[in-house]
Amino acid sequence: MNAGTGILAVLTVWASAAGIRPPRESQQPSVRLPDEAAGIDGIVQTLIAVFDQADIVALGEAHGRRADSDLRIALVRHPDFAKKVRFIVVEFGSTTEQATLDRYIQGENVSRAQLERVWKTTSNGVWDSPIYADFFRAVRDVNATLPAALRIRVLGGDPGPTDQRDRETAAVAVIEELVLAKHAKALVIYGAAHFYRAAPASFGTSADLARTLELAHPGRVFTVIPIGGDLDPPPPGVSLRAPDYRKFESALKTQTGPVLIPLSRPPFRDFTAEEFLGGGIFSCVGPGGCRSAFAGSLLTLGQMAEASVYFGMPRK
């Protein structure tokens, strides 16, 4: 799937029957959050505060969506971000082009063609949207204002052409070896499905990043997933349950969006993952054609992540 067909987390599950496994859940960290953090500024301040309680903030995105980009750029541009965070790990950067990415982020002259190799040599080619180059440029701009010892390093987490590791293994290794082993903190930006705390059996072995990290480093990973906002339509022939976002709207106290909500908070905790996350991940195993990987799942939003950024009702 490409960036134009991404929904919440762009990940098509082509699992074989042998690859299917039961759902697996990981321990969630104990992080104190306000009931609601409203607006970009409120969300940014809250996420920066989370770094006082967790080492990894895993901020999920809908691939190619400007709203997700605006939030993370505002986060890294906040003056307090660089005071707490030294690393950013991104899905849209190749492990084999780390030297090029380092040079660019540190302010050296890098041609556009060289820079494009950072995302074009990843295993998931959905990064043609300009928002990803915009993000690298934003971090470069921030570093230009900082002394060398305090600059942010951006790490590519996706295996490049000569990296024989699978996607999850490569990402975990980058985070463990270059961040956690140094007792540092990192913002990690991947498609939201990589950060799900639990998954239906139809996921196979996909999207285990946050769960794998949490099993090895309990309590150090805080996951945030997007819900709502403008979404691309599903592929032809895929029938999905339409989310009733009025449930979110009626339970919110604020009228300012987007809004960060702890998913331990009722009633959001008890809303079904099938309804609010099932539109972006498809299983094409078995009879009946492609369908939501969450079809028939009893998982709730409270089982999926620590928090959600709710982007409001879609305008389409």
Side-chain angles (χ1 to χ4, degrees):
M1 302 176 73
N2 57 36
T5 57
I7 303 183
L8 282 178
V10 180
L11 174 65
T12 304
V13 181
W14 296 98
S16 67
I20 292 177
R21 56 173 172 72
R24 181 157 66 94
E25 297 183 50
S26 59
Q27 176 185 340
Q28 298 187 4
S30 176
V31 173
R32 296 177 299 278
L33 290 177
D35 282 350
E36 297 176 9
I40 294 288
D41 290 344
I43 295 172
V44 164
Q45 292 173 20
T46 299
L47 291 179
I48 290 173
V50 168
F51 280 108
D52 292 332
Q53 306 171 69
D55 294 327
I56 302 296
V57 171
L59 183 60
E61 71 150 14
H63 292 329
R65 190 165 66 172
R66 176 65 63 178
D68 299 83
S69 175
D70 290 345
L71 173 59
R72 61 177 171 257
I73 287 177
L75 177 59
V76 301
R77 286 191 180 279
H78 193 284
D80 289 338
F81 179 82
K83 295 176 182 178
K84 297 185 180 182
V85 183
R86 285 289 169 273
F87 297 94
I88 303 172
V89 183
V90 298
E91 185 181 10
F92 46 94
S94 164
T95 57
T96 55
E97 293 294 326
Q98 186 61 52
T100 299
L101 183 55
D102 282 339
R103 289 173 49 223
Y104 179 78
I105 294 298
Q106 295 304 319
E108 297 184 27
N109 292 328
V110 175
S111 71
R112 177 68 185 194
Q114 288 177 308
L115 183 61
E116 287 181 352
R117 286 187 53 79
V118 170
W119 60 85
K120 288 186 179 294
T121 58
T122 61
S123 61
N124 187 10
V126 297
W127 315 118
D128 288 338
S129 169
I131 65 173
Y132 300 107
D134 291 347
F135 181 76
F136 290 144
R137 187 180 308 110
V139 182
R140 177 184 167 106
D141 290 346
V142 169
N143 276 345
T145 69
L146 298 172
L150 300 181
R151 288 176 183 165
I152 300 163
R153 189 180 185 197
V154 180
L155 302 170
D158 200 77
T162 60
D163 189 337
Q164 300 304 308
R165 297 172 294 185
D166 64 46
R167 301 185 68 211
E168 305 297 299
T169 300
V172 169
V174 167
I175 295 168
E176 287 190 324
E177 295 168 11
L178 299 179
V179 180
L180 294 175
K182 298 179 179 181
H183 306 286
K185 296 180 184 288
L187 172 68
V188 182
I189 303 167
Y190 269 64
H194 293 277
F195 301 148
Y196 290 162
R197 292 289 189 175
S202 57
F203 269 51
T205 56
S206 300
D208 271 353
L209 177 51
R211 295 193 294 275
T212 300
L213 284 171
E214 188 60 43
L215 287 170
H217 308 278
R220 299 177 73 179
V221 182
F222 181 85
T223 57
V224 185
I225 58 175
I227 294 177
D230 289 335
L231 307 174
D232 290 335
V238 177
S239 178
L240 300 174
R241 178 180 177 184
D244 183 1
Y245 291 113
R246 292 173 299 179
K247 296 176 183 177
F248 271 80
E249 302 287 331
S250 64
L252 290 172
K253 303 171 185 176
T254 181
Q255 300 300 311
T256 303
V259 56
L260 180 73
I261 310 163
L263 290 179
S264 59
R265 173 189 162 190
F268 309 103
R269 175 191 63 199
D270 302 317
F271 293 159
T272 67
E274 178 183 2
E275 180 175 3
F276 291 103
L277 301 179
I281 305 170
F282 310 105
S283 173
C284 298
V285 177
C290 296
R291 60 199 177 279
S292 169
F294 283 93
S297 171
L298 299 179
L299 290 170
T300 65
L301 293 183
Q303 295 173 282
M304 302 307 295
E306 279 74 74
S308 169
V309 176
Y310 174 60
F311 285 102
M313 292 187 178
R315 293 173 295 178
K316 298 178 182 177

